[in-house]
Amino acid sequence: MTNPWEQLLEVQTLDSIIQKLDHRDAQLPERGRLSELEGRLSRLRADVVAAEAEKHVLVKEQRRIEDEIALVEDKIAHEESQLYSGGSSDAGLLQALQDEIAGLKRRISTFEDEELELMEQVEPIDARLAALAEDQAGLDREAIETTTTLAEAEASIGAERDQALAAREQATAGIDPEALTRYEQTRDRLGGTAVARLVAGACGACHIKLSAVEHDRIQHLPDEEEVRCEDCGRFLVRV
Ligand SMILES: [Zn+2]
């Protein structure tokens, strides 16, 4: 059986590329920007809900006053029809009717003042709602643009990743699956580097020089023999 570690060194190079691409994908600034926009949009929607609730109370009160006014107007119409029907010539009764009508008209005027006050309170809320709608439209536009830019960046990284994955598949062809599993486990455990070259008697990953005895021993091992760094435990490829 041949020593798979030379081949796994190439696999590791590709795995590092894939890892870097995944990292780049996760760190795309558009992701942060989108989540910031979503946060702002959700706060803005909460502001809209609060402003609409505030307006609803005022509008409801306004309608109640309008209903009151309508009732009083009906009453006035009724009193006036009595007054002008000519059915009574009792001066006292006619005076009482006139007084009552005058009193009802004063009530209407009070109601109208109250209604006007409510309308004045609604005005700034409407202005706020319009401003919020404008802000929301701006944020929505930016979110759409950012989503598009993000999708383009993801597609570009995805294409590079697919290429690296295809190359990895080729690179792993024929490798003993058991060695591949051990490579993957070691890589996970040791921060992405499972295999290194033995360079000038030192481990290419942790750079610690092998003892003369160990170095000598390794040099005399058959090629297919597996060698690991005494210090970091990574697989070593002899040059
Ligand atoms: Zn080492």
Side-chain angles (χ1 to χ4, degrees):
M1 199 172 72
T2 55
N3 190 326
W5 295 100
E6 176 86 40
Q7 214 178 327
L8 279 166
L9 200 57
E10 193 194 332
V11 173
Q12 181 171 271
T13 304
L14 292 163
D15 278 339
S16 298
I17 291 172
I18 293 166
Q19 200 174 11
K20 272 185 200 138
L21 288 168
D22 286 344
H23 181 74
R24 210 208 298 167
D25 186 286
Q27 297 296 315
L28 282 171
E30 288 82 7
R31 288 193 199 289
R33 183 73 190 128
L34 265 184
S35 89
E36 188 205 323
L37 285 171
E38 274 157 22
R40 282 173 64 188
L41 272 166
S42 106
R43 283 194 294 278
L44 201 136
R45 280 192 282 266
D47 286 350
V48 170
V49 169
E52 274 171 352
E54 208 181 319
K55 180 179 170 176
H56 178 74
V57 171
L58 296 171
V59 169
K60 214 172 133 188
E61 180 61 8
Q62 199 181 321
R63 292 215 181 99
R64 191 191 64 77
I65 289 173
E66 279 165 6
D67 290 346
E68 294 271 11
I69 290 175
L71 280 176
V72 178
E73 276 172 347
D74 282 352
K75 217 165 173 185
I76 291 174
H78 180 255
E79 304 292 318
E80 280 181 340
S81 76
Q82 274 202 311
L83 182 64
Y84 301 119
S85 66
S88 173
S89 54
D90 181 338
L93 186 66
L94 293 175
Q95 185 58 49
L97 274 172
Q98 273 177 331
D99 288 349
E100 173 145 21
I101 288 167
L104 291 170
K105 283 185 172 166
R106 278 195 301 277
R107 272 182 74 187
I108 286 188
S109 163
T110 308
F111 279 139
E112 281 171 349
D113 287 348
E114 283 176 23
E115 195 185 4
L116 198 66
E117 212 172 288
L118 287 168
M119 284 160 82
E120 278 167 3
Q121 287 178 48
V122 169
E123 256 173 47
I125 298 174
D126 277 339
R128 206 186 324 150
L129 282 168
L132 286 169
E134 205 175 305
D135 286 352
Q136 186 168 356
L139 290 176
D140 281 340
R141 260 197 311 277
E142 198 176 343
I144 289 167
E145 281 165 16
T146 310
T147 305
T148 308
T149 315
L150 177 62
E152 284 164 4
E154 280 175 336
S156 148
I157 292 172
E160 277 186 64
R161 197 180 192 281
D162 287 348
Q163 246 180 355
L165 275 177
R168 187 191 195 272
E169 203 171 315
Q170 276 194 329
T172 53
I175 294 180
D176 170 23
E178 191 267 343
L180 192 60
T181 303
R182 281 195 298 139
Y183 154 78
E184 277 161 358
Q185 285 167 348
T186 309
R187 199 172 169 270
D188 284 345
R189 200 176 70 240
L190 296 174
T193 307
V195 47
R197 280 194 192 283
L198 182 62
V199 185
C203 164
C206 72
H207 307 294
I208 290 176
K209 223 169 167 62
L210 270 65
S211 65
V213 179
E214 177 67 0
H215 193 231
D216 189 57
R217 187 185 73 83
I218 286 172
Q219 294 305 327
H220 292 94
L221 286 174
D223 278 353
E224 66 274 18
E225 196 77 29
E226 192 172 283
V227 179
R228 301 183 83 149
C229 169
E230 298 172 287
D231 286 284
C232 67
R234 291 185 174 94
F235 298 95
L236 289 175
V237 172
R238 283 166 280 170
V239 185

